[in-house]
Amino acid sequence: MSNTLPRGAAPIRVALLGCGTVGTEVVRLIEEQSKDLTARIGAPLEIVGIAVRRPDKHPDIKASLLTTDAQSLVDGDADIVVEVIGGIDPVKGLLVDALRSGKSVVSANKALLAEEGGLLHAAAAESGADLYYEAAVAGAIPILRPLRESMVGDRITRVLGIVNGTTNYILSRMDETGSSFSEALAEATDLGYAEADPTADVDGFDAAAKAAILAALAFHTPVTTDDVYREGISAVTSGDFASARDMGCTIKLLSICERVSDPDNPSEDAVSARVYPAMIPRTHPLASVGDAFNAVFVEAEAAGPLMFYGKGAGGDPTASAVLGDLVAVARNKVATTTGGGVSTYAALPIRPMGKTPTRYHVSLDVSDKAGVLAAVATEFARNDVSISTVRQEGRGDEATLVLVTHTAADEALAATVEQLHASEYVRAVVSVMRVEGKDS
Amino acid sequence: MSNTLPRGAAPIRVALLGCGTVGTEVVRLIEEQSKDLTARIGAPLEIVGIAVRRPDKHPDIKASLLTTDAQSLVDGDADIVVEVIGGIDPVKGLLVDALRSGKSVVSANKALLAEEGGLLHAAAAESGADLYYEAAVAGAIPILRPLRESMVGDRITRVLGIVNGTTNYILSRMDETGSSFSEALAEATDLGYAEADPTADVDGFDAAAKAAILAALAFHTPVTTDDVYREGISAVTSGDFASARDMGCTIKLLSICERVSDPDNPSEDAVSARVYPAMIPRTHPLASVGDAFNAVFVEAEAAGPLMFYGKGAGGDPTASAVLGDLVAVARNKVATTTGGGVSTYAALPIRPMGKTPTRYHVSLDVSDKAGVLAAVATEFARNDVSISTVRQEGRGDEATLVLVTHTAADEALAATVEQLHASEYVRAVVSVMRVEGKDS
């Protein structure tokens, strides 16, 4: 259990691409904890260069380290490249070059990994470099390494994640205070939880990128952002929350990665990856994940249910995840080895959303005519959707019909809702929301 | 992202020591998932021998694999030894021999790792073998690898674990139903959650071994079972739960590993490792961990709070953790490398329980005399313990005084309680329980 540092062990040379909130924290942690990190790695870390857009904006960093030429760092003699710039271009080219030249890469870039993970992993495998990106999903929460390594002997069946802090803050506030989406968004913006242009968060793009990364690792299959079905939260109303409460549920934006049967070949597996707001029972461990926290719920055949919970964003938590990867990769450099790669051997087909089994909660304003229930039930039956529960509330002008279905193909459920809109018995479709959790 | 299996890759040879509930599951998973495991590892796993006490008790296993001679497997030509026997002897000698001969070891043996982790890690480091034991703490929950690898760039300040399912089941039942300890224990025994001799669980020995393992990894310091202060749950009463409820708390058996200041040298860190039942606020993420589930709450400087939740025991969940380690170690064998070792470079001193800062909740039956509160407050002040809240309930014969202290050295709190027992104003010390969570 001893760890004697070889005297004068050669430092591990680190190039940093980007130096915003996360990068600044990474630099600070490397400097402040240098003694501990050296002991844990078996060699000191040395920052050999930091690529930034505006060197004059970084007065606290030694000027000799700063450069605007990221490519020179990638082409230089660093052992490890840490990327915290974000976005696809020009980062993609930089990281491919770094990996091809044998430099290990630590990245926090979910968009790039979700879109070009295959390309990057291939470049890493080619030269025997490491590629880690724990910070790309759920900030400080260790979830990718557990999926890549701890659970690699098990068969994962489902991953349900709350992986976007902004939308979780908004939905938590709507749930707690009864406020509207726009009120809760304004509050999130004031508090700095939402960006000036909240599209990436609110419309589910961020959660979809993370779903692609989670699904690829969980199911050993190539999954990119384009494979992920996506709906955002801007259409969620306080009425939806009232309906959820009546059901003993709350509403969360879920990134769902599921092993399902292949519609063309029911004895084979397929992967479903999707992001949308859904009702989940308040008794589900994810229901109590409030504020801007993140959590990932994993179900595996032998392990059973697992949950990982923590801070999903912010400079410090993200930097913690980057540092963890950096230390692991640096240890590998000292041992002149690499960690376990990522395999996509299973290459499961992606099941399209329409064919994916889901459940709907539908709330209808109905007219006060005889035969309403029969008429509505007929629409469901026509699409082969079976109803789990139905509840009629109020009478006369105020009558509301609340239905929860059993599991059916999403396209059958969507078609039913479409037909209900046109029904003479239905005055308004008040709320339509998918329901996650076990079908009863 | 591809993973092409080299044709005819030499199998990784696995010897299994022990074949009870967990071992049987390990064998089943290796056989059932052999195609997937081969793809993930890059070579097939081959079980070359299984050491058992009674070969005739294993009719489902090929007889040629079974042996009563574990030493022969350890001395043989296996690449990896998987140990699921448990206990210190003779396993210690077997695993040291295996590691010294360069065989990597995967173990689920918390008692051995807690007591002899240093010896085993030294043997592993000597020959360059891997030593992993995820299954030893919190069953299927990936917690040791996240501590060893994901969080290795951060500074962990505290680990709070519910790591014993038996006691968590008992305390959850006492909380839900108001039953006594012995009633809840009887129920746990009936359901198979408690063993015929429940001492190891109920008296906190199991949780203490796990605390030692967690503390060693979190603080890079040698910590053994003997360093862990330990109290069990058999003295917890339904009155304690009533007091907890009044405080908005519940009671959990916690394994607590904390970075504290060294009493002899306040500018230096020390480690406190301890196990006892304590009140925690119902709003704490650990409070809702019910039944026989386990959870580990980790606080780190940069990452903030994290929680890991799942099944802590049982054949399948434990086998899932063993398999994860086995695949990781087998991948390393294929790559002719080893994973990151465990370092104890920090070698922090252990802070004894008496010097550890804790908080107490004390409930007293007091006599109906004037000056009771002053007399009781004087006992606390005499030991330099400051009181956070005090509440008087009832009058006359039924008067109860409920006090919660601020943080103070545990020995000062214990001395105060001792003196209260002797006070003429105190008719009975009804409940004494430590309180975890932030001091207000």
Side-chain angles (χ1 to χ4, degrees), chain A residues 92-113:
Chain A
K92 178 171 79 173
L94 291 167
L95 297 192
V96 167
D97 288 350
L99 289 164
R100 287 206 178 125
S101 71
K103 294 178 181 69
S104 289
V105 166
V106 173
S107 172
N109 191 329
K110 64 215 158 213
L112 179 60
L113 265 300

Side-chain angles (χ1 to χ4, degrees), chain A residues 1-3 25 28-29 32-33 35-37 39-40 117-119 121-123 125 133-134 140-143 145-146 148-156 216-218 220-223 259 285 288 293 297 300-311 315-321 323-325 327-328 331-332 335-346, chain B residues 1-3 25 28-29 32-33 35-37 39-40 117-123 125 133-134 140-143 145-146 148-156 216-218 220-223 259 285 288 293 297 300-311 316-321 323-325 327-328 331-332 335-346:
Chain A
M1 230 162 171
S2 69
N3 187 328
E25 273 306 307
R28 190 182 68 77
L29 289 169
E32 277 187 21
Q33 303 196 23
K35 205 181 115 204
D36 280 324
L37 295 177
R40 292 174 196 175
L119 175 75
H121 276 293
Y133 41 91
E134 184 65 75
I141 307 173
I143 176 64
R145 189 181 302 270
R148 269 172 89 151
E149 298 178 14
S150 306
M151 305 190 66
V152 70
D154 205 337
R155 189 178 147 89
I156 295 171
L217 294 178
H220 302 271
T221 286
V223 182
R259 190 187 284 275
S288 55
F293 276 89
F297 189 80
E301 277 186 5
L306 296 167
M307 191 171 82
F308 304 77
Y309 166 95
K311 286 188 179 166
D316 282 11
T318 310
S320 169
L323 255 287
D325 279 349
V327 169
R331 277 178 173 175
N332 287 344
T336 60
T337 179
T338 55
V342 163
S343 73
T344 54
Y345 73 90
Chain B
M1 228 164 173
S2 70
N3 187 325
E25 273 306 307
R28 189 183 66 79
L29 288 170
E32 278 187 20
Q33 304 196 22
K35 203 182 115 206
D36 281 323
L37 295 177
R40 293 174 196 175
L119 176 74
L120 295 174
H121 276 292
Y133 40 93
E134 186 64 75
I141 306 173
I143 176 65
R145 188 181 302 269
R148 270 172 88 151
E149 298 177 14
S150 306
M151 305 191 66
V152 70
D154 206 337
R155 189 177 146 89
I156 295 171
L217 294 179
H220 302 271
T221 287
V223 181
R259 189 186 285 275
S288 54
F293 276 89
F297 189 80
E301 279 186 2
L306 296 167
M307 192 169 84
F308 304 78
Y309 166 94
K311 285 189 180 166
D316 281 8
T318 310
S320 169
L323 255 288
D325 279 348
V327 169
R331 278 177 172 177
N332 287 343
T336 61
T337 179
T338 55
V342 165
S343 74
T344 54
Y345 72 92

Side-chain angles (χ1 to χ4, degrees), chain A residues 191-257:
Chain A
L191 289 167
Y193 286 140
E195 298 186 38
D197 175 2
T199 314
D201 295 317
V202 163
D203 289 350
F205 290 99
D206 176 81
K210 292 163 178 172
I213 295 172
L214 289 168
L217 294 178
F219 303 123
H220 302 271
T221 286
V223 182
T224 70
T225 318
D226 292 343
D227 298 320
V228 182
Y229 175 83
R230 177 187 54 76
E231 287 176 26
I233 65 162
S234 56
V236 178
T237 66
S238 48
D240 293 330
F241 271 100
S243 297
R245 256 190 300 280
D246 287 343
M247 296 255 302
C249 286
T250 186
I251 298 170
K252 295 290 185 188
L253 181 68
L254 298 177
S255 293
I256 306 169
C257 313

Side-chain angles (χ1 to χ4, degrees), chain B residues 177-217:
Chain B
T177 67
S179 61
S180 70
F181 167 76
S182 55
E183 287 163 347
L185 171 60
E187 201 185 324
T189 311
D190 283 350
L191 290 168
Y193 286 140
E195 298 187 39
D197 175 1
T199 314
D201 295 318
V202 162
D203 290 349
F205 290 100
D206 175 81
K210 292 165 178 170
I213 294 172
L214 289 168
L217 294 179

